[in-house]
Amino acid sequence: MIPPDPELSPRRAARAEAERLATAALAVQSASPAEGSPAEAAGPAEAAEPAAAAGPTRRELRAGASTSSGIRALAATKGLPLAARRRRAGLLAVAVAVVVAGAVAIGAAATAGGRDEGEAAEVAATTTVVQGPPAVPAEGLPVPKLAAVAATATPCDDPAFTAALASGDDTAAIAAVGGGGAFRAAVASGIAPCVSLSDPNREWVVVNKQRPLDPVDYRAGDLVMPENVRALEESALRARAAGALTEMVRAASDAGAGEIGYLSAFRSYSTQQSTYAGRVSVGGVEEADRESARAGYSEHQTGLAVDIVPCNGSCATLDDVAASAQGAWVRDHAWEFGFITRYAEGRESVSGYEPEAWHLRYIGPELARAYHEGGYTTLEEFFGLPAAPTY
């Protein structure tokens, strides 16, 4: 029996095996080993051992030589002295540590890469891809054609209308718009700003408790006495209104309605002051304001208003007009001559005055027709103006 090698006791055997494994990863020094290398320490005989027995080269280690090659290299160092084997084992341990660290890093990278690929696959499987719009060609797209929209034409853009306004011919101005209805619509809608409802020289002027005359002491310049009409006092009208009253009175007489006279027409600013003061002295301010206008706010001052009375031989009072045959005929036909009943029954909240069947206001035949056909009962509503019940 071969006696046990004291160098191969269990503890030493384990240590030697570890050294052999570590040494396998080192490269054997070349024929000119560095100072302190195992070949130099082993002497000439040991250094002359075949290169194959010296273990794997450095190139093999860089190329990733297998661990089995390292084990074979360790086996080849069995005959070396103990000090040489220990130095080689130390170098091998360092190399093994580097190899192991590289392997761990590669494995971690591979694991992470696999995980990233798996997560990417999962996201792709659960993500809805929204298709964008198709590519737009550089040329050939249809271009929408927009028709030009002409600006809304207004009466104030019509040279014929503006020329008629400038000349003071109210009849021609209304005809240029297209008649009384068209004129009213244009003014009420606000598309005819060149038309002033405050101009006292116009037949369409509106005077009420919120719209005084401008100037307040206005006096018309074409006042005349109506022909062939009984006047209970010397009171004139504007020329066109005076001629229209003459025609209406004749037509009423021809129709068998009886004679129509008038009590009062134009009143100057000073005359209206006296008239209003007389009402105040009788019934107070509140009562006077319901039946008489203050100076500067009276339609009589325009020369376009007239208070008629029925006459049968002698003339009756203003209060008799509503129940008379003349009053009934006027309600039905006055518009044909350009007159309207200015203060109608039940319209005090708009006009500001109690009903006056005798108070006629001239606005011209075209506007009076539109007023009648439209069923209007106040000039405020006719021209789209606010109510004027109080000052």
Side-chain angles (χ1 to χ4, degrees):
M1 170 180 286
I2 300 174
D5 187 348
E7 291 289 328
L8 296 178
S9 64
R11 180 178 294 179
R12 286 179 178 274
R15 187 174 62 185
E17 181 65 15
E19 290 177 352
R20 285 195 298 271
L21 291 174
T23 304
L26 293 176
V28 180
Q29 296 293 328
S30 62
S32 300
E35 183 180 356
S37 67
E40 181 182 6
E46 294 172 347
E49 291 180 1
T57 65
R58 293 180 183 273
R59 183 181 300 277
E60 290 175 332
L61 289 175
R62 286 195 301 270
S66 65
T67 304
S68 60
S69 298
I71 295 172
R72 290 194 300 272
L74 282 174
T77 64
K78 183 175 181 181
L80 295 176
L82 180 60
R85 290 200 303 269
R86 286 178 177 175
R87 283 196 300 271
R88 185 172 291 186
L91 294 172
L92 181 60
V94 174
V96 169
V98 173
V99 172
V100 171
V104 171
I106 293 172
T111 302
R115 184 169 61 253
D116 291 343
E117 291 178 0
E119 291 177 355
E122 182 179 354
V123 170
T126 58
T127 301
T128 301
V129 178
V130 179
Q131 296 294 335
V136 178
E139 298 179 354
L141 289 177
V143 178
K145 295 181 179 179
L146 302 178
V149 178
T152 303
T154 72
C156 299
D157 299 323
D158 183 359
F161 178 73
T162 55
L165 281 180
S167 68
D169 190 339
D170 294 351
T171 300
I174 293 172
V177 177
F183 180 89
R184 185 215 69 82
V187 173
S189 66
I191 67 169
C194 56
V195 175
S196 173
L197 296 177
S198 299
D199 186 347
N201 295 304
R202 301 296 184 180
E203 294 173 353
W204 52 71
V205 63
V206 180
V207 182
N208 57 34
K209 293 177 179 180
Q210 295 293 317
R211 300 175 63 86
L213 286 164
D214 183 18
V216 292
D217 59 350
Y218 169 79
R219 181 185 181 93
D222 60 343
L223 295 171
V224 297
M225 292 294 296
E227 296 180 357
N228 303 317
V229 179
R230 188 187 299 195
L232 301 185
E233 62 181 44
E234 190 73 16
S235 184
L237 283 169
R238 297 266 310 266
R240 279 173 52 84
L245 180 62
T246 295
E247 294 178 5
M248 186 183 74
V249 167
R250 183 171 58 247
S253 178
D254 293 345
E259 182 184 4
I260 297 174
Y262 72 98
L263 175 63
S264 177
F266 170 76
R267 299 180 197 146
S268 66
Y269 181 86
S270 59
T271 299
Q272 189 62 32
Q273 277 184 316
S274 299
T275 301
Y276 177 77
R279 298 290 192 278
V280 171
S281 64
V282 173
V285 172
E286 183 176 351
E287 186 64 24
D289 283 341
R290 297 182 63 193
E291 59 185 20
S292 181
R294 299 175 186 180
Y297 293 82
S298 173
E299 284 198 325
H300 283 284
Q301 198 174 324
T302 66
L304 297 172
V306 59
D307 293 340
I308 62 171
V309 291
C311 300
N312 292 307
S314 63
C315 293
T317 67
L318 298 175
D319 292 331
D320 295 325
V321 173
S324 67
Q326 292 91 330
W329 188 90
V330 165
R331 284 192 295 272
D332 292 337
H333 300 282
W335 65 268
E336 299 172 9
F337 303 91
F339 289 97
I340 62 170
T341 301
R342 179 66 173 96
Y343 305 124
E345 186 79 32
R347 308 304 292 154
E348 184 176 354
S349 62
V350 178
S351 68
Y353 295 98
E354 292 180 333
E356 296 182 356
W358 60 85
H359 184 101
L360 303 184
R361 161 66 196 276
Y362 183 78
I363 60 174
E366 287 295 331
L367 291 180
R369 175 184 293 276
Y371 189 95
H372 171 75
E373 293 178 351
Y376 294 97
T377 55
T378 67
L379 274 182
E380 287 77 14
E381 294 169 318
F382 183 67
F383 283 123
L385 297 174
T390 60
Y391 290 99

